[in-house]
C-alpha cells in the first residue's frame, strides 16, 4: 500500500516507551555535546545534606541546571556564589526522570578579572556592613613586643626578609606558624594559624605572642585570593592579639588588610612597624639623660644663686651677737661687785649682832641662814644643800650653848666660803641670765612703739587723745606730734633740748667687819 494513499499517515513510525526515549535523548546529548565549557552568571546555589552541590547558570534568556557530585566538590576550584560570573567545565547529561538536561560541572573559573573584582567588592561591602573594618575596633600595636608570631610560608623569601629586618632593628623572639599562602585549603590554614596563636596561654611552655604578622609576597589577584576569603577576614577581625597584614606589594590590597589592626605595604615594612630601632632608642635615652643632667645642673645653679642672694641680705654673725656680748660683759662686770657688796652688808650685820644675847644671835643667824639657803637654792641646788647642812650644824651648836664669839667666828668663816661659791656660781649663771635678758629686750624693742617711731613713724595726739583720722585732727583744739627724739606742738616755739641726766655715782662700799 502506498503511504500517500494511506488514510492514517505515520502508522509505520516505530513506537518508544518513555524510558527508551529518555535514554536515546541522554545518549544523543552526551554523544553530540560531550565535554563543554559554559559561561554564565551563577543563580541559585544549594549544598544538599548528601554533600552534592546544585546551582544554576543563566544569561539574559535561559537557565542551565548544573550539579557537582560529592566526590567532585573538592576539585571544583571555586565555590560558586550567587551573582558570580563563571566559566563552568563538565559533561552534559540529560535526566529522563524530569525530562531535563543539565551540566555535570567538575571545574569552575571566574569569567575574567572584572567579575572577580565585582565579587570582591560585594564581599567587602557585606563584611564592612557587619563592622569588621571599623577603626574603633582596631587595637594599638605594642611599642616593643617580646614575642612576635609570623603566619607565612616557611619556604619563601618573606620569612627570611622579616627575620633579617628584625635582627637589624631590634632582635626579638619569633614564632613561625607555617601555612600555605596559595591554592586549595590555604585560606583555612591561615585562619587556623591566627586562631591557634590566640589560643596559646600567656607565659606558658609555648608563650603567646604579643604581636602577629600575616605575610605573603606579591602576586596576581588569583594568587592572593585566599586572603580575601571570608574565613580569613573573620579570623583576623576576631584576633585578640594585635595583627599586622603584610600581603603582596604596596599596590596589592586584600580584605585582610581592612580587618587587620595595621596594614604594611611589604613584609619588610611589617618588621619595621613591629619593633623600633635599638640604636635610636639608645641615642634617645642618652639624649634624655643629658637633658635631665643639664636641667638638674641649671636648677642647682638657680638655687645656689638664690641662696647667695638671701645670704647677702642677712647680717653677719658678729653683728648679731655684738649687742648681746656687750650686755653680757656689763652684767659679768657688775655681778661680782654686787655679790661682794651683799656679803659685806651681811658681815657687818653679823658683827653688830655679836654683842647681843646668844638666843637673839642664834635667831638672827637662823634667819640669815634661811635667806642664804633660799638664794643658794635659786643659784645652785648643791649649794642649797650645803647651806642647809650648815644651818643644821648651827642649830645643833646653838643648842649646846657654844660661846657666841667662837660660833660667830666659825660661821663667818663658813659664810666666806659660801660667798666665794656664790661668786663662782654667779659667774656661771650670768651668761644664761644675759641671754634671757637679751631675748626679753629684743621682744620689748619689737613690741614697743619706740621701735616704730625709730623707723620714721610719728604719733599724733589731739587734746591728749591719739588721733587716727584727718576729721578728728581738724576738730581737735591742740595737736601734739611725738617723734623718736621728742614731742612737737604745731605753732609753738621749739623747746630747747633737755640736758642729759648724769648717771649717779655708786655709793662707796661700806666698811666690812674685822671678823
Amino acid at each position: 500500500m502506498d503511504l500517500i494513499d494511506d488514510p492514517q499517515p505515520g502508522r509505520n513510525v516505530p513506537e518508544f516507551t518513555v524510558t527508551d526515549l529518555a535514554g536515546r535523548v541522554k545518549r544523543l546529548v552526551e554523544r553530540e555535546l560531550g565535554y563543554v565549557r559554559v559561561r554564565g552568571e551563577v543563580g541559585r546555589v544549594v549544598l544538599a545534606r548528601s554533600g552534592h552541590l546544585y546551582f544554576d547558570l543563566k544569561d539574559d534568556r535561559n537557565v542551565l541546571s548544573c550539579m557537582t557530585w560529592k566526590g567532585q566538590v573538592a576539585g571544583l576550584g571555586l565555590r560558586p556564589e550567587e551573582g558570580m560570573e563563571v566559566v563552568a567545565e563538565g559533561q552534559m547529561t540529560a535526566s529522563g526522570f524530569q525530562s531535563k538536561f543539565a551540566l555535570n560541572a567538575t571545574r569552575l573559573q571566574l569569567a575574567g578579572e572584572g567579575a572577580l573584582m565585582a565579587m570582591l567588592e560585594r564581599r567587602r561591602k557585606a563584611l564592612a556592613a557587619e563592622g569588621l573594618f571599623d577603626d574603633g575596633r582596631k587595637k594599638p600595636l605594642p611599642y616593643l613586643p617580646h614575642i612576635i608570631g609570623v603566619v607565612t610560608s616557611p619556604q619563601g623569601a618573606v620569612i627570611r626578609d622579616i627575620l633579617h629586618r628584625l635582627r637589624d632593628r631590634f632582635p626579638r623572639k619569633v614564632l613561625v606558624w607555617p601555612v600555605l599562602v596559595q591554592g586549595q585549603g590555604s585560606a583555612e590554614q591561615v585562619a587556623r594559624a591566627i586562631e591557634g596563636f590566640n589560643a596559646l596561654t600567656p607565659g606558658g611552655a609555648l608563650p603567646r605572642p604579643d604581636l602577629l604578622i600575616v605575610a605573603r609576597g606579591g602576586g596576581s589577584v588569583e594568587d592572593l585570593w585566599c586572603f580575601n576569603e571570608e574565613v580569613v577576614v573573620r579570623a583576623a577581625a576576631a584576633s585578640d592579639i594585635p595583627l599586622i597584614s603584610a600581603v603582596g606589594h604596596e599596590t596589592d590590597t586584600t580584605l585582610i588588610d581592612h580587618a587587620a589592626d595595621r596594614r604594611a605595604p611589604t613584609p619588610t615594612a611589617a618588621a619595621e612597624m613591629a619593633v623600633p630601632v635599638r640604636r635610636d632608642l639608645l641615642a634617645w635615652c642618652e639624649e634624655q639623660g643629658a637633658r635631665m643632667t643639664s636641667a638638674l645642673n641649671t636648677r642647682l645653679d638657680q638655687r645656689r644663686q638664690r641662696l647667695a642672694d638671701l645670704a647677702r641680705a642677712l647680717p653677719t654673725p658678729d653683728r648679731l651677737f655684738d649687742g648681746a656680748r656687750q650686755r653680757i660683759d656689763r652684767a659679768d662686770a657688775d655681778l661680782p661687785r654686787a655679790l661682794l657688796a651683799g656679803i659685806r652688808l651681811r658681815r657687818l650685820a653679823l658683827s653688830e649682832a655679836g654683842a647681843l644675847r646668844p638666843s637673839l644671835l642664834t635667831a638672827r643667824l637662823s634667819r640669815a641662814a634661811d635667806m642664804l639657803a633660799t638664794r643658794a637654792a635659786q643659784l645652785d641646788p648643791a649649794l642649797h644643800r650645803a647651806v642647809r647642812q650648815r644651818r643644821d650644824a648651827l642649830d645643833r651648836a646653838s643648842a649646846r650653848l657654844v660661846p657666841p664669839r667662837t660660833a660667830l667666828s666659825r660661821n663667818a668663816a663658813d659664810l666666806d666660803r659660801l660667798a666665794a661659791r656664790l661668786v663662782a656660781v654667779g659667774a656661771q649663771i650670768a651668761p644664761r641670765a644675759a641671754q634671757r635678758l637679751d631675748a626679753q629686750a629684743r621682744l620689748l624693742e619689737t613690741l614697743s612703739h619706740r621701735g616704730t617711731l625709730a623707723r620714721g613713724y610719728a604719733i599724733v595726739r589731739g587734746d591728749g587723745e591719739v588721733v587716727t583720722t584727718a576729721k578728728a585732727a581738724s576738730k581737735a583744739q591742740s595737736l601734739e606730734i611725738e617723734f623718736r627724739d621728742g614731742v612737737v606742738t604745731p605753732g609753738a616755739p621749739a623747746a630747747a633740748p633737755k640736758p642729759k641726766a648724769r648717771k649717779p655715782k655708786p655709793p662707796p662700799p661700806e666698811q666690812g667687819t674685822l671678823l
Side-chain angles (χ1 to χ4, degrees):
M1 184 185 308
D2 193 357
L3 292 177
I4 298 176
D5 298 334
D6 191 354
Q8 295 180 351
R11 292 183 61 184
N12 60 343
V13 178
E15 295 181 351
F16 295 97
T17 63
V18 175
T19 301
D20 293 339
L21 184 59
R24 290 192 63 177
V25 171
K26 178 179 181 180
R27 288 191 296 272
L28 178 63
V29 171
E30 291 179 353
R31 183 175 64 251
E32 293 295 332
L33 296 177
Y35 192 84
V36 296
R37 299 178 74 243
V38 183
R39 179 170 181 169
E41 180 182 345
V42 178
R44 177 185 57 90
V45 179
V46 176
L47 180 62
R49 293 184 179 180
S50 60
H52 304 320
L53 179 65
Y54 302 95
F55 61 95
D56 294 336
L57 283 181
K58 60 183 180 179
D59 57 13
D60 57 346
R61 293 183 179 180
N62 297 288
V63 178
L64 174 64
S65 297
C66 303
M67 71 284 188
T68 303
W69 308 126
K70 178 180 179 180
Q72 299 172 336
V73 173
L76 194 60
L78 180 66
R79 183 64 59 89
E81 296 180 10
E82 187 174 355
M84 183 185 299
E85 187 176 0
V86 298
V87 176
E89 301 180 8
Q91 181 75 31
M92 287 297 300
T93 185
S95 173
F97 179 73
Q98 293 182 341
S99 300
K100 292 183 178 180
F101 62 91
L103 174 65
N104 179 20
T106 57
R107 183 174 176 79
L108 287 179
Q109 294 180 352
L110 290 171
E113 187 173 345
L116 189 64
M117 291 296 101
M119 185 192 68
L120 180 63
E121 181 64 19
R122 289 194 298 271
R123 183 177 296 174
R124 187 191 66 79
K125 290 181 179 179
L127 296 176
E130 297 182 21
L132 299 182
F133 302 157
D134 293 344
D135 293 336
R137 51 158 298 278
K138 296 183 183 298
K139 298 174 286 295
L141 302 183
Y143 181 72
L144 186 60
H146 294 283
I147 302 174
I148 300 176
V150 180
V151 179
T152 188
S153 173
Q155 288 82 21
V158 172
I159 185 61
R160 292 194 296 271
D161 293 342
I162 292 177
L163 295 177
H164 177 72
R165 198 58 177 164
L166 290 175
R167 186 167 52 250
D168 288 345
R169 290 174 65 87
F170 206 118
R172 297 281 87 184
K173 184 177 181 181
V174 178
L175 297 179
V176 180
W177 195 302
V179 295
L180 292 175
V181 292
Q182 181 179 348
Q184 186 70 25
S186 58
E188 288 75 11
Q189 290 189 19
V190 172
R192 285 196 299 269
I194 297 174
E195 294 170 355
F197 272 132
N198 280 271
L200 294 177
T201 303
L206 186 63
R208 178 181 176 181
D210 303 314
L211 179 67
L212 293 183
I213 298 177
V214 179
R216 188 203 188 282
S220 63
V221 177
E222 291 80 4
D223 295 337
L224 305 178
W225 190 254
C226 71
F227 297 98
N228 293 319
E229 295 293 344
E230 184 175 345
V231 62
V232 175
V233 176
R234 292 188 180 279
S239 175
D240 294 330
I241 304 174
L243 187 142
I244 299 177
S245 172
V247 178
H249 297 301
E250 187 171 359
T251 56
D252 298 327
T253 302
T254 57
L255 294 183
I256 193 176
D257 295 336
H258 301 288
D261 298 302
R262 185 74 65 85
R263 176 187 180 270
T266 61
T268 304
E272 294 177 355
M273 290 181 182
V275 295
V277 181
R278 185 172 182 270
R279 289 189 296 271
D280 293 346
L281 284 179
L282 292 176
W284 181 83
C285 290
E286 292 178 358
E287 180 184 356
Q288 296 302 315
R291 291 182 61 186
M292 184 174 63
T293 303
S294 177
L296 182 60
N297 291 334
T298 302
R299 190 65 172 172
L300 289 176
D301 291 340
Q302 293 175 353
R303 292 292 185 179
R304 190 180 295 110
Q305 183 64 34
R306 177 62 175 167
L307 184 61
D309 295 340
L310 294 175
R312 284 195 296 269
L314 293 174
T316 61
D318 293 337
R319 293 182 56 188
L320 289 175
F321 295 114
D322 282 344
R325 286 195 186 100
Q326 293 177 1
R327 287 190 291 272
I328 291 174
D329 292 340
R330 288 195 296 269
D332 183 57
D334 294 341
L335 184 60
R337 292 195 298 269
L339 290 175
L340 292 175
I343 291 173
R344 293 190 188 98
L345 291 175
R346 285 164 177 77
R347 184 176 296 169
L348 181 59
L350 287 174
S351 300
E352 293 176 352
L356 298 177
R357 290 176 302 175
S359 59
L360 181 59
L361 180 58
T362 301
R364 295 189 62 179
L365 285 175
S366 179
R367 287 195 299 272
D370 291 337
M371 293 175 61
L372 188 60
T374 303
R375 181 60 177 170
Q378 296 175 354
L379 295 178
D380 189 358
L383 185 60
H384 171 63
R385 290 194 297 271
V387 171
R388 179 176 293 277
Q389 293 173 0
R390 292 299 181 182
R391 187 182 63 178
D392 294 340
L394 182 61
D395 293 339
R396 290 192 297 269
S398 300
R400 290 194 300 267
L401 297 177
V402 179
R405 293 286 182 181
T406 304
L408 287 175
S409 298
R410 188 168 54 251
N411 290 335
D414 294 339
L415 186 59
D416 290 338
R417 288 193 301 271
L418 292 177
R421 292 187 62 183
L422 281 175
V423 172
V425 172
Q428 296 177 2
I429 296 177
R432 294 196 294 270
Q435 290 179 1
R436 291 195 297 271
L437 182 61
D438 182 35
Q440 295 297 326
R442 286 198 303 270
L443 180 61
L444 179 61
E445 185 178 354
T446 302
L447 300 178
S448 174
H449 74 283
R450 299 294 181 183
T452 305
L453 295 177
R455 291 194 295 270
Y457 293 89
I459 300 176
V460 180
R461 293 184 178 87
D463 298 335
E465 300 293 335
V466 176
V467 177
T468 59
T469 61
K471 182 177 180 181
S474 62
K475 293 181 179 180
Q477 298 296 330
S478 62
L479 294 176
E480 290 183 352
I481 303 175
E482 182 179 356
F483 295 95
R484 178 177 60 85
D485 55 351
V487 179
V488 175
T489 301
K498 296 181 180 180
K500 295 183 179 179
R502 295 183 179 179
K503 186 176 181 181
K505 295 182 180 180
E510 298 182 3
Q511 183 177 358
T513 180
L514 297 178
L515 297 178

